[in-house]
Amino acid sequence: MTDAREIEASLLDFMRREVFAPDLELTVETGLVAAGFDSMSLVRVLLFIETTHGFWIPQGEINAETLRNIRSLAATVLRLKHAP
Amino acid sequence: MNLIELLDNSSGTWPDKPALIEGESAVSYAELSAQTKSLAARLAELSITPGSRIGLNLPNSVAYVALTFALWRTRAVVVPLPTECTEEEVSEITGSLQLDAILGARPQSGSAQIGAGLFLTACHPPVRADNHGLDIAFIRFTSGTTSARKGVVLCHDTVRDRITAANQGLAISADDVVIWCLPMAHHFLVTIALYLSRGATIVLARHVLAEPFLAAIQRWRGTVLYASPFHYGMLARHLAGGGTPTVRLAVSTTCSLNEDIADAFHARFQIPITQALGIIEAGIVCLNLREPRTRWNSVGHPLPGFSVRILSPDDAGCGEVAIRGPGLFDAYAAPWLSREELAPDGWFRTGDIGRVDEDGFLYLLSRKTAVINLAGRKVFPEEIESVLNRHPAVRESRAYGRPHPHLGEVIEADLVLDADAAALDSVRAHCRAQLASYKIPSRLNIVSELPRTAVTGKIRREVIAV
């Protein structure tokens, strides 16, 4: 079973490679919005989650709490993945 | 005329009214006009002369607006360089449009500082651009349908004409507060410049999430929204935080709306979403003001002065949409091609396939060209393919849009490799270096060959592998 750590690591790897500038020191606790996360970044990340985990995060789940940092986003992915 | 007159007139009529609000700070019309004067003086000191082509590489901000008008005050040509462009893309635009200088937030070697966090870097084009005697205000670089790209050239009078025409539908006045979330590098003339010409207040919203966007509408009593279906979808599904009773007009542009979002937004806010047909070659041509709720999937009727025609309609009445009207583009820049050469009869072929119903409502159905629409950003497959094909492991490639329920389309590419599948990581890294991040295919598929047309041997675009 994929756990939170694995999801965090894959999101961190993806965002380092494809979303943020390479010189940004991104961690799972970096504030995403303050780091420049915009609506096209969001599109890229939602697509990545859909490709890797097989589901689209509903727009009702996309809020400030979910997108606070990679840790909170990974927790949402994990919860939705195991939702009945 | 010069478009700076629009701002100066507003500054004369409404000097103390807020023109722009960014965060908690408001900039009045008089202050904005004064900023453009001091910036223009500084630009002139740095040898920015009439006709100079200047790239503008900044995110949405008061400075972005002030610099655009300051460049117009010096009669320079504004060329937006979207901030998502990679260095390779910026250098390609700089070369093909023969830019004289770039204004941006980062100093380069030899940059001159013109304000807080604003730097001008000369580009020294080998040959100075020929403006063909035109009084050009703006060149918007667009990826063309061939690998050669085009810049859409717009003169001052042209932009004024399209602003006048668009406002016959939008009816923006000094009573309006526009909540803004789209990138100014992609949307400026019949939006920001229009609003400022009519004395409206523009609020620059932080737009990643529904909460701050909704909070900005409520806090500043927004009356007009101009956004993409993706933004409306986020707002519609954000159930907390009350309504938006002050909004009189919510315009959707950049890609077609879907029924889920139209219904959800109306259910949530009791406001219909009004679709528009806006294209860089013509401004806002159609706006569905009459029946935005019942015919939510139509872009409505042509605005006064515009005509729409369906070319070679099939049995169902569908064909390529051609338009005629005020403020049509003046030329393409690279290579130079005048409007008269391209549309000698005054009809511009949009490349969109559409139909007009019995009551005159226009519906857009698809693109004639293979442009991919990713959440409102238009991406040309040829551009992605040319990057993929430069990788040594790629023999040939085909990029295409795959329909996606939430984004319109997503980008995928099929590759014929001269190496084994392990090369894909290196191909992905190559894409990241060469392409703005949203243009990177979300999936790369290895195939043994690409479908081709029998006659020309060209890659067939209509085939989407399943």
Side-chain angles (χ1 to χ4, degrees):
Chain A
M1 184 194 289
T2 319
D3 69 4
R5 284 293 152 85
E6 277 178 52
I7 298 173
E8 283 176 11
S10 74
L11 286 171
L12 184 62
D13 178 55
F14 174 78
M15 291 207 210
R16 275 189 182 144
R17 282 187 288 112
E18 301 211 359
V19 176
F20 291 105
D23 51 351
L24 181 81
E25 290 194 17
L26 189 72
T27 71
V28 293
E29 290 178 346
T30 305
L32 292 176
V33 172
F37 195 83
D38 63 10
S39 57
M40 283 316 283
S41 320
L42 178 59
V43 165
R44 298 277 309 151
V45 169
L46 293 176
L47 271 171
F48 172 75
I49 293 168
E50 186 180 45
T51 310
T52 1
H53 298 285
F55 63 91
W56 185 260
I57 297 192
Q59 277 179 308
E61 296 277 353
I62 302 164
N63 51 41
E65 182 49 36
T66 300
L67 285 181
R68 190 156 44 94
N69 53 35
I70 288 175
R71 179 153 289 156
S72 57
L73 179 58
T76 302
V77 172
L78 188 64
R79 175 168 56 77
L80 294 172
K81 206 177 167 72
H82 296 299
Chain B
M1 68 89 64
N2 183 317
L3 292 167
I4 190 67
E5 293 164 27
L6 300 178
L7 180 63
D8 287 343
N9 289 343
S10 293
S11 167
T13 313
W14 302 283
D16 301 322
K17 192 168 185 289
L20 290 157
I21 293 174
E22 188 176 26
E24 288 300 307
S25 65
V27 176
S28 72
Y29 272 93
E31 286 163 344
L32 182 62
S33 176
Q35 276 187 31
T36 67
K37 283 177 185 152
S38 59
L39 284 168
R42 179 77 180 120
L43 291 168
E45 278 170 22
L46 294 168
S47 312
I48 301 303
T49 52
S52 300
R53 295 184 177 181
I54 311 297
L56 191 53
N57 187 212
L58 288 171
N60 283 5
S61 56
V62 171
Y64 189 103
V65 178
L67 279 168
T68 299
F69 280 94
L71 287 166
W72 286 338
R73 203 180 276 290
T74 58
R75 300 204 84 85
V77 178
V78 177
V79 180
L81 297 171
T83 49
E84 68 267 17
C85 285
T86 61
E87 279 176 35
E88 281 74 14
E89 288 170 321
V90 167
S91 74
E92 194 190 337
I93 299 173
T94 304
S96 61
L97 293 185
Q98 297 156 280
L99 299 188
D100 293 290
I102 293 176
L103 280 163
R106 287 193 196 164
Q108 315 271 341
S109 67
S111 292
Q113 184 153 14
I114 61 158
L118 294 176
F119 300 89
L120 181 84
T121 309
C123 301
H124 307 296
V127 181
R128 212 156 171 233
D130 180 358
N131 287 338
H132 293 256
L134 296 180
D135 193 10
I136 304 175
F138 197 86
I139 304 179
R140 232 300 277 294
F141 201 72
T142 54
S143 309
T145 48
T146 64
S147 56
R149 306 212 214 173
K150 310 158 177 177
V152 177
V153 173
L154 303 170
C155 292
H156 284 269
D157 287 349
T158 305
V159 175
R160 177 207 49 203
D161 290 350
R162 62 170 64 178
I163 284 176
T164 306
N167 213 38
Q168 305 250 341
L170 297 169
I172 300 290
S173 76
D175 296 330
D176 279 313
V177 176
V178 182
I179 310 296
W180 184 257
C181 66
L182 296 176
M184 291 182 189
H186 295 270
H187 304 268
F188 196 88
L189 304 175
V190 287
T191 50
I192 302 290
L194 185 158
Y195 309 148
L196 294 174
S197 76
R198 296 302 188 276
T201 295
I202 302 166
V203 177
L204 306 183
R206 291 189 66 180
H207 61 284
V208 175
L209 299 165
E211 288 107 314
F213 194 68
L214 184 58
I217 299 169
Q218 293 165 341
R219 162 87 203 270
W220 303 106
R221 307 183 63 76
T223 61
V224 173
L225 310 180
Y226 196 91
S228 75
F230 186 71
H231 296 110
Y232 288 119
M234 283 215 287
L235 279 176
R237 291 178 177 90
H238 179 67
L239 300 178
T244 56
T246 53
V247 173
R248 69 169 179 87
L249 182 65
V251 179
S252 172
T253 178
T254 73
C255 69
S256 61
L257 191 63
N258 71 46
E259 190 165 15
D260 283 354
I261 293 175
D263 287 348
F265 190 82
H266 189 264
R268 169 70 178 83
F269 296 106
Q270 294 79 53
I271 304 163
I273 298 177
T274 298
Q275 284 215 83
L277 168 58
I279 54 174
I280 185 61
E281 285 90 349
I284 299 179
V285 177
C286 293
L287 195 60
N288 187 359
L289 293 169
R290 295 194 206 168
E291 293 188 33
R293 181 75 195 113
T294 45
R295 300 194 215 204
W296 60 270
N297 52 344
S298 168
V299 294
H301 292 81
L303 291 174
F306 284 101
S307 314
V308 166
R309 205 163 82 178
I310 304 295
L311 303 175
S312 314
D314 64 13
D315 294 343
C318 303
E320 185 174 2
V321 177
I323 57 177
R324 191 163 69 173
L328 274 194
F329 72 105
D330 292 281
Y332 285 116
W336 189 272
L337 184 67
S338 72
R339 183 185 63 220
E340 290 74 19
E341 289 172 88
L342 195 88
D345 55 359
W347 287 94
F348 173 70
R349 293 159 164 262
T350 61
D352 286 312
I353 304 295
R355 71 179 173 87
V356 175
D357 73 11
E358 61 283 5
D359 300 314
F361 286 81
L362 174 64
Y363 299 79
L364 299 179
L365 305 168
S366 65
R367 289 284 302 175
K368 192 175 174 205
T369 54
V371 67
I372 302 165
N373 197 326
L374 172 73
R377 296 284 175 96
K378 298 198 172 51
V379 181
F380 287 84
E382 292 87 349
E383 182 185 2
I384 296 167
E385 288 160 6
S386 79
V387 167
L388 288 169
N389 294 346
R390 285 204 295 271
H391 190 280
V394 176
R395 185 184 307 163
E396 54 183 356
S397 64
R398 184 176 66 106
Y400 50 87
R402 179 185 290 279
H404 187 279
H406 302 286
L407 298 173
E409 289 180 305
V410 295
I411 304 168
E412 297 194 6
D414 291 347
L415 306 174
V416 180
L417 292 182
D418 276 331
D420 62 32
L424 276 187
D425 282 344
S426 153
V427 174
R428 283 199 190 91
H430 170 75
C431 289
R432 287 196 293 278
Q434 305 278 328
L435 290 167
S437 77
Y438 69 92
K439 295 179 189 165
I440 301 171
S442 46
R443 207 186 280 269
L444 296 173
N445 309 303
I446 300 174
V447 297
S448 55
E449 60 180 325
L450 299 177
R452 289 175 186 281
T453 57
V455 180
T456 62
K458 285 179 120 179
I459 295 168
R460 284 175 62 181
R461 297 218 170 273
E462 66 271 30
V463 179
I464 292 184
V466 178

